[in-house]
Amino acid sequence: MIGIVSACSQLQDLNLGREFHHYVKEHGLELTIPLNNSLMDMYVKCGDLLAAQVLFDNTAHKTLVSWTTMVLGYARFGFLGVARELLYKIPEKSVVPWNAIISGCVQAKNSKDALALFNEMQIRKIDPDKVTMVNCLSACSQVGALDVGIWIHHYIERHNISLDVALGTALVDMYAKCGNIARALQVFQEIPQRNCLTWTAIICGLALHGNARDAISYFSKMIHSGIKPDEITFLGVLSACCHGGLVQEGRKYFSEMSSKYNIAPQLKHYSGMVDLLGRAGHLEEAEELIRNMPIEADAAVWGALFFACRVHGNVLIGE
């Protein structure tokens, strides 16, 4: 039942999860602590906080997992006050629930609250771990808090915390999004192991800063190292082509998405391609691309073409 309930959590299928919870009660299965925690986790991930709270309230022996599940749930859905109240009631002093509430804030885009909690965590003498660092660096990336990001980097160096893939990628992403691409490149070179997310972070960072050729160069190095790109990587590549006016390269990479890497282009990819073609003056080709899309174009896709029409003074297509 724990396995089945966990599967419902991953699928975020609330109705199916409720059915299995009903099955547990109907067949008199023992509601062990691990099964109870799994059910709570399922309700939280499926968005039914009330059902999770009822289970939590009826749990005689609350474990750290029980507390952490509820803290994460309330933080993720924006009920930060309730999450804090639960956090302060936890009898066990542990970094895990603090990571949960900070992670929940980051997922809910409440990055300032996440960084405030990180500060409070230090005041309460709770030592952060790698998970804390990754979440806080993500928060810095969201709000452009370079000074806090630099402080976290210094903390990592002072405490000799090893730069694994997750932490290294978070640092690269933070420096790139906060405007220090040189430092992002330096950290990228220092990371002993890199995955798709690491390469994507530096490619998107270079594209964001207008370093089109460098972004394309890093994409080539990524492919040469045997790492397969994902759809986010191609967003960075197309963005780089757009910034650099690299139409031929853009056409090639857009085509290779499906033909070589079996990645179906999404609306953002079409928007980027239309923007690239439009800026270069290929308005008819951009319009034809929209007409032949297998998915319905949204405002961003049409807007990219409309912007290009305005730039190039093409009133006919613009209308």
Side-chain angles (χ1 to χ4, degrees):
M1 291 312 299
I2 290 171
I4 291 168
V5 169
S6 297
C8 294
S9 299
Q10 290 178 29
L11 293 168
Q12 295 189 344
D13 192 327
L14 179 58
N15 290 330
L16 198 58
R18 281 175 178 156
E19 282 184 36
F20 285 120
H21 187 188
H22 184 69
Y23 180 93
V24 169
K25 290 189 282 191
E26 283 289 300
H27 289 75
L29 293 176
E30 184 188 356
L31 198 61
T32 61
I33 291 172
L35 179 53
N36 192 66
N37 286 341
S38 294
L39 283 165
M40 282 170 50
D41 181 64
M42 180 275 295
Y43 280 122
V44 163
K45 285 178 178 171
C46 294
D48 193 341
L49 284 175
L50 183 59
Q53 184 67 53
V54 169
L55 276 170
F56 180 78
D57 292 338
N58 292 330
T59 303
H61 301 288
K62 297 176 177 66
T63 65
L64 185 61
V65 174
S66 312
W67 287 98
T68 303
T69 300
M70 293 310 301
V71 167
L72 176 60
Y74 280 112
R76 186 179 288 169
F77 286 98
F79 301 105
L80 192 58
V82 182
R84 278 178 186 267
E85 284 178 26
L86 283 169
L87 182 68
Y88 300 150
K89 289 177 183 175
I90 300 175
E92 187 179 342
K93 187 178 178 181
S94 169
V95 70
V96 177
W98 284 88
N99 284 345
I101 192 170
I102 291 171
S103 170
C105 288
V106 172
Q107 289 174 37
K109 306 294 183 187
N110 293 330
S111 296
K112 289 183 179 178
D113 288 328
L115 295 175
L117 282 160
F118 176 58
N119 187 49
E120 186 179 340
M121 185 179 168
Q122 294 168 78
I123 293 169
R124 290 175 178 264
K125 307 294 183 188
I126 296 171
D127 293 329
D129 61 9
K130 282 187 181 181
V131 177
T132 321
M133 298 296 160
V134 170
N135 282 322
C136 289
L137 287 169
S138 295
C140 293
S141 298
Q142 287 180 6
V143 294
L146 180 60
D147 52 344
V148 181
I150 291 170
W151 186 92
I152 292 170
H153 193 181
H154 287 328
Y155 183 94
I156 291 165
E157 292 175 332
R158 280 199 313 272
H159 292 79
N160 294 317
I161 299 172
S162 61
L163 276 186
D164 61 7
V165 175
L167 190 53
T169 302
L171 274 170
V172 170
D173 190 55
M174 181 277 295
Y175 277 121
K177 286 179 179 171
C178 291
N180 194 335
I181 193 65
R183 197 76 176 96
L185 286 163
Q186 185 181 343
V187 174
F188 180 83
Q189 299 300 337
E190 292 170 359
I191 303 172
Q193 284 185 311
R194 307 178 188 106
N195 62 10
C196 176
L197 292 173
T198 320
W199 285 97
T200 298
I202 199 65
I203 290 166
C204 290
L206 287 163
L208 183 70
H209 287 265
N211 301 344
R213 290 290 179 188
D214 288 339
I216 299 300
S217 172
Y218 271 83
F219 179 70
S220 299
K221 290 175 185 175
M222 174 184 180
I223 301 303
H224 185 69
S225 67
I227 304 289
K228 185 182 176 183
D230 63 11
E231 56 186 42
I232 308 299
T233 316
F234 278 103
L235 282 178
V237 171
L238 290 174
S239 173
C241 292
C242 193
H243 283 299
L246 309 174
V247 179
Q248 282 296 103
E249 290 88 342
R251 287 192 187 113
K252 174 190 166 207
Y253 293 127
F254 185 77
S255 173
E256 285 183 351
M257 274 186 72
S258 51
S259 64
K260 192 173 180 179
Y261 300 102
N262 199 28
I263 300 171
Q266 302 300 311
L267 283 169
K268 285 188 177 181
H269 299 103
Y270 280 105
S271 176
M273 196 61 201
V274 169
D275 194 23
L276 168 62
L277 292 168
R279 285 172 187 261
H282 303 289
L283 300 180
E284 289 80 8
E285 185 183 345
E287 186 180 15
E288 186 182 355
L289 178 65
I290 295 176
R291 301 289 182 200
N292 294 327
M293 281 171 56
I295 47 179
E296 189 176 348
D298 65 356
V301 177
W302 286 111
L305 179 57
F306 186 52
F307 172 78
C309 290
R310 192 190 69 173
V311 169
H312 292 283
N314 193 319
V315 179
L316 185 65
I317 295 178
E319 286 179 341

